[in-house]
Amino acid sequence: MRLRTPLALLGAAVLVLAGPPLLSSGDDSDSGTQIPGLRFMVPNTPGGGYDITARTAAKNAEDAGLTHNIEVFNLPGAGGTVGLSRLVSEHGNGKLAMSMGLGVVGAVRSNHAPKTLADATPIARLTEEQDVVVVAKDSPYKTIDELIGAWKKDPGKIPVGGGSSPGGPDHLAPMLMAQAAGIQPKSVNYIPFDGGGELLASILGNKVGFGVSGVGEYLDQIKAGELRVLAVTGPERVDDLKNAPTLKESGYDVNFTNWRGIVAPPGLSEAQRDKLTRLFEELHDSPEWKKSMDQNGWDDAFLTGEKFGDFLDAQDKRVVSVLKELGL
């Protein structure tokens, strides 16, 4: 089922087509999960949440024997909408899928993208995870209260970095955090990066006062002591980060989680769509995927087909509503 709510369509995207042409869909009539020539597109830079999700899913699917030789490639730009435009142009290609999430929903809105998620085929929502509020190990801020105390004094002088465009998760989370702390969201100096990989260097180099990104993206750096986590944005503490309080228990009324999923090009046959869906259903049930979810701090949020399409529709409306409420 496609998104029913049309999104604003303004401007045009410049697509930089890298690498060899995508393979044609071929014969997908059998009922297994083997899809020779399958490619996963990541619509932002290496090291971010979409990238980690796609590469983990590809490896787990291969290790579980579900399919073989999945190619994962990055096509960054405009918060994921360059990749989305490429995906939509591959009409009928049942050998292509794109890793995505709330960030792409927001980027379509903020970038007035010419192609929208209404043009894609929803396959599966895979995971849900909290965001983390992090600073470099040598940051002067040791607690969330110290950070917010300084932020309130002069919001514009403490830039916050996020791995998504305005309207995406790493933008909405600090804006809701600012609102809960009594800071006008319009006064926040938000600096968007094209994924958590790009953001990391700016946090470590103290080019931003703090960063907001997904748990799974920065768990290794936090454990290694390169980043200090001040808080998590969800309803309860994360198992691997028990010392990090939730924003709510710290006195800031915020409960925010992100999600990630998979979409495919438009114009798929029923057999093509069913085969891709079946691949992710069996991946979801595999011990390899369950282990990876635990290691990355991801929560199960599996949803497929028509229900995922309805969810995407609701998420678009939610982004519009929250941005309006925040005066953005």
Side-chain angles (χ1 to χ4, degrees):
M1 178 173 177
R2 294 181 176 178
L3 257 165
R4 291 192 293 267
T5 303
L7 305 180
L9 306 179
L10 298 174
V14 177
L15 301 184
V16 180
L17 302 184
L22 298 175
L23 298 172
S24 62
S25 58
D27 181 8
D28 295 294
S29 59
D30 67 276
S31 59
T33 60
Q34 297 290 330
I35 307 177
L38 179 61
R39 306 181 79 197
F40 287 170
M41 182 197 301
V42 178
N44 58 12
T45 53
Y50 299 153
D51 188 68
I52 294 170
T53 301
R55 294 182 190 279
T56 301
K59 185 178 187 307
N60 289 170
E62 291 176 357
D63 289 347
L66 300 178
T67 192
H68 300 285
N69 300 319
I70 302 171
E71 179 188 349
V72 181
F73 69 102
N74 297 77
L75 185 62
T81 57
V82 169
L84 178 61
S85 292
R86 169 70 177 272
L87 183 87
V88 172
S89 75
E90 293 292 331
H91 189 277
N93 187 349
K95 296 179 181 291
L96 177 65
M98 186 178 85
S99 176
M100 51 75 71
L102 179 56
V104 176
V105 178
V108 165
R109 282 292 185 180
S110 61
N111 294 327
H112 308 295
K115 300 299 181 182
T116 79
L117 288 165
D119 300 308
T121 300
I123 299 298
R125 186 183 68 186
L126 299 177
T127 64
E128 185 177 55
E129 71 172 341
Q130 303 194 39
D131 269 0
V132 286
V133 180
V134 293
V135 295
K137 62 182 179 182
D138 56 351
S139 167
Y141 310 118
K142 303 292 195 296
T143 68
I144 190 67
D145 285 332
E146 288 179 2
L147 170 64
I148 289 183
W151 199 23
K152 289 176 73 171
K153 290 178 182 177
D154 196 341
K157 284 192 175 180
I158 300 182
V160 51
S164 59
S165 298
D170 300 350
H171 172 253
L172 294 178
M175 293 301 167
L176 292 169
M177 184 172 134
Q179 184 184 53
I183 299 169
Q184 286 293 329
K186 285 186 177 180
S187 69
V188 173
N189 180 11
Y190 177 76
I191 301 177
F193 294 84
D194 203 357
E198 282 193 0
L199 170 62
L200 179 61
S202 288
I203 301 173
L204 294 175
N206 289 304
K207 294 180 179 178
V208 294
F210 66 100
V212 177
S213 195
V215 170
E217 294 177 70
Y218 292 161
L219 197 55
D220 289 344
Q221 288 81 9
I222 293 167
K223 289 181 176 180
E226 296 175 5
L227 294 177
R228 180 186 303 136
V229 57
L230 303 184
V232 296
T233 64
E236 56 189 32
R237 296 192 182 204
V238 175
D239 286 343
D240 288 330
L241 303 172
K242 284 298 187 183
N243 291 332
T246 67
L247 287 171
K248 197 151 191 174
E249 71 181 276
S250 301
Y252 308 100
D253 191 13
V254 176
N255 183 354
F256 182 88
T257 55
N258 187 19
W259 57 269
R260 295 191 180 93
I262 300 291
V263 293
L268 300 190
S269 68
E270 184 177 352
Q272 289 174 318
R273 187 188 66 242
D274 289 349
K275 193 166 191 178
L276 275 170
T277 302
R278 187 161 55 249
L279 171 64
F280 284 97
E281 287 173 342
E282 296 203 19
L283 173 68
H284 169 259
D285 293 337
S286 71
E288 291 85 355
W289 180 250
K290 293 179 190 301
K291 181 179 179 181
S292 292
M293 286 186 60
D294 184 61
Q295 290 175 337
N296 286 288
W298 296 336
D299 294 321
D300 189 15
F302 196 65
L303 197 65
T304 61
E306 187 173 310
K307 290 182 179 179
F308 183 38
D310 290 341
F311 173 79
L312 290 175
D313 188 1
Q315 286 291 284
D316 176 60
K317 293 174 181 176
R318 178 193 180 204
V319 167
V320 173
S321 176
V322 172
L323 289 175
K324 184 176 181 181
E325 178 187 343
L326 294 173
L328 302 172

